[in-house]
Amino acid sequence: MDFGIEYKGYTSDMTRVVVAGKATEEQKALYGTVNTMLDRCLENIRDGVKASDVCEASFRTIRGTKYEPHYYSSIGHGIGLFVHEIPFLRPTSTDMIRENQVMAVEPAIFIPGWGGIHLEDNILVTKDGCENLTSTEKRLIEL
């Protein structure tokens, strides 16, 4: 589920994963991997960091694994008056992350013919890190 709201002209963007029925071991494993990728991103975001370095931190989680070929490399963007603003978290980005920017951080793995996992949190960049503004639980939801 990928959704957001607009409030007084400002936007948000959040994604959570829902499985219809009981999750398979593969779905649980992939979910855990993408959740770790998101954690690695958040650990590396702070004022003055290159956006491409955040991508690299995320990618290191799956380098050398069976998931590496399915990495979705555009893993985040600024949010504000528009839902997609600078900085853009991509391996080729030259954008710098700055204090007080609000961003959507969204690593994902998509496997053709199988599906994918995509998690997205909204964060506020601080001088020494970031504050996660998304309070929604980040567990794999089984319906």
Side-chain angles (χ1 to χ4, degrees):
M1 298 183 295
D2 189 351
F3 53 94
I5 62 164
E6 185 176 316
Y7 180 71
K8 295 187 178 184
Y10 289 91
T11 62
S12 68
D13 193 12
M14 182 190 103
T15 304
R16 291 296 184 260
V17 175
V18 176
V19 174
K22 186 162 175 51
T24 66
E25 291 306 313
E26 181 72 10
Q27 289 167 325
K28 291 176 187 178
L30 185 56
Y31 185 90
T33 298
V34 174
N35 203 12
T36 298
M37 292 167 65
L38 178 56
D39 289 344
R40 296 295 173 267
C41 290
L42 300 181
E43 290 167 3
N44 284 275
I45 290 176
R46 65 186 169 284
D47 182 50
V49 170
K50 292 189 292 187
S52 59
D53 289 346
V54 176
C55 291
E56 176 58 28
S58 172
F59 184 68
R60 276 194 306 264
T61 304
I62 60 165
R63 184 176 283 126
T65 73
K66 67 181 180 179
Y67 299 127
E68 183 176 351
H70 309 293
Y71 177 68
Y72 185 73
S73 62
S74 183
I75 63 164
H77 52 86
I79 53 175
L81 297 175
F82 299 96
V83 75
H84 296 104
E85 299 183 349
I86 59 171
F88 291 98
L89 298 177
R90 298 179 182 139
T92 58
S93 177
T94 59
D95 294 338
M96 296 296 290
I97 296 172
R98 296 293 178 206
E99 184 176 9
N100 296 319
Q101 288 177 321
V102 178
M103 301 178 63
V105 182
E106 55 178 323
I109 296 174
F110 298 112
I111 303 170
W114 184 85
I117 303 288
H118 178 199
L119 296 173
E120 183 175 26
D121 281 355
N122 293 187
I123 59 103
L124 171 65
V125 178
T126 65
K127 181 179 179 181
D128 300 316
C130 64
E131 176 185 346
N132 196 328
L133 303 174
T134 305
S135 60
T136 304
E137 189 172 330
K138 280 196 312 185
R139 66 178 174 82
L140 180 60
I141 300 167
E142 298 172 311
L143 298 178

